[in-house]
Amino acid sequence: MNDFVVYKAIGDSLTVGIGNYFSKGFVNRYAQRAVETLQVPVRTEVFAKNKLTSENLLYRIQDEKVQSRLMTANIITITIGGNDLLQANKAFMYTYDPSVFDEVTIQFYQNMMSILSEIHYLKSLHPTPYMIRLIGLYNPFPHLSYSDFWVQRFNDILLSFEDERTRFVDIYSYFIYGGEHLFNFGRLHPNKYGYEVIAEATAASGFEPLHQQILSNHKNK
């Protein structure tokens, strides 16, 4: 393993940092937490786009240029799923057919399975220690009676992919309790306090197996 850590942040507007106009959302904050914990430099690269869905993300990581960059990652964070639900809600408001949520939930699970399988395969071609953090969804529309149910369904799907390298970061309750204090004026995206919460929660999920590997490297020098 190098004397630095490679961090690739992929996903939607949360990874872009939309809503926090004077700094780059949670990514830079989380990278700083990684530096403080691991005591090595962190090289960060962002692959993100506003309004990205899980289907869009799956398509993007099948691009050869993106794949070559992901191969070297030691830390990968993923924010995805919010736009899948937003699109389903738009369809629901037009049709009032609840099956649109069932369909998008199935599709989200399948897309996440493919995304993570792709990442694990890419890392098998470049076998360095790595960890994946799946950042959960918050509910920007708690006034919609059905919204909590579907947000939690998506979070349950993300949680189901946990393994020795992959952990789910639950931010849902923070945004329920924090309320308006954590959102920007449009209430769809976090403000700087909301992004700070995401960075802290992601860091609190730990840095294994990287931490142990770095400690081992230092002992062998």
Side-chain angles (χ1 to χ4, degrees):
M1 187 169 172
N2 297 318
D3 290 329
F4 58 87
V5 165
V6 179
Y7 168 29
K8 309 293 185 179
I10 63 178
D12 54 22
S13 56
L14 293 186
T15 298
V16 174
I18 299 293
N20 186 196
Y21 302 108
F22 302 107
S23 65
K24 291 186 177 180
F26 82 91
V27 171
N28 286 354
R29 292 174 168 89
Y30 174 66
Q32 184 57 39
R33 303 299 189 287
V35 171
E36 292 164 1
T37 301
L38 300 173
Q39 294 293 298
V40 293
V42 174
R43 296 184 179 179
T44 303
E45 188 171 10
V46 175
F47 300 92
K49 187 177 180 181
N50 192 25
K51 299 184 179 179
L52 206 71
T53 64
S54 60
E55 184 177 7
N56 300 147
L57 180 58
L58 176 58
Y59 179 77
R60 286 196 81 176
I61 68 167
Q62 290 170 338
D63 179 271
E64 289 183 4
K65 291 181 181 177
V66 174
Q67 288 184 337
S68 66
R69 311 291 290 193
L70 288 178
M71 274 185 197
T72 62
N74 303 118
I75 300 174
I76 298 171
T77 59
I78 302 176
T79 62
I80 206 68
N83 292 306
D84 299 58
L85 273 181
L86 287 173
Q87 286 189 5
N89 191 55
K90 284 182 181 178
F92 175 71
M93 297 300 286
Y94 181 72
T95 63
Y96 290 99
D97 179 2
S99 69
V100 296
F101 289 109
D102 290 314
E103 291 167 8
V104 77
T105 301
I106 293 168
Q107 193 62 53
F108 179 65
Y109 175 80
Q110 292 173 340
N111 289 338
M112 284 307 305
M113 190 160 51
S114 298
I115 288 165
L116 292 170
S117 294
E118 190 72 33
I119 291 172
H120 291 313
Y121 171 70
L122 291 172
K123 286 304 301 175
S124 74
L125 302 177
H126 194 278
T128 53
Y130 72 102
M131 49 177 265
I132 300 171
R133 295 296 178 261
L134 304 175
I135 297 169
L137 277 61
Y138 55 82
N139 185 2
F141 303 124
H143 60 282
L144 297 177
S145 60
Y146 52 85
S147 58
D148 276 337
F149 177 81
W150 293 106
V151 169
Q152 293 288 36
R153 280 284 296 275
F154 268 48
N155 281 338
D156 287 343
I157 288 171
L158 292 171
L159 177 62
S160 74
F161 288 108
E162 280 201 334
D163 58 28
E164 68 276 4
R165 291 190 179 92
T166 308
R167 291 186 186 171
F168 167 67
V169 180
D170 188 0
I171 61 173
Y172 175 86
S173 58
Y174 293 104
F175 280 82
I176 290 293
Y177 299 132
E180 300 291 338
H181 179 66
L182 300 182
F183 287 96
N184 73 351
F185 59 87
R187 215 190 182 286
L188 185 61
H189 295 98
N191 58 21
K192 65 179 181 179
Y193 303 110
Y195 280 118
E196 184 72 26
V197 162
I198 296 172
E200 286 288 351
T202 308
S205 70
F207 289 91
E208 295 302 336
L210 300 189
H211 204 189
Q212 204 61 40
Q213 182 68 41
I214 289 169
L215 288 174
S216 176
N217 288 351
H218 287 321
K219 286 179 181 177
N220 293 333
K221 285 183 178 179

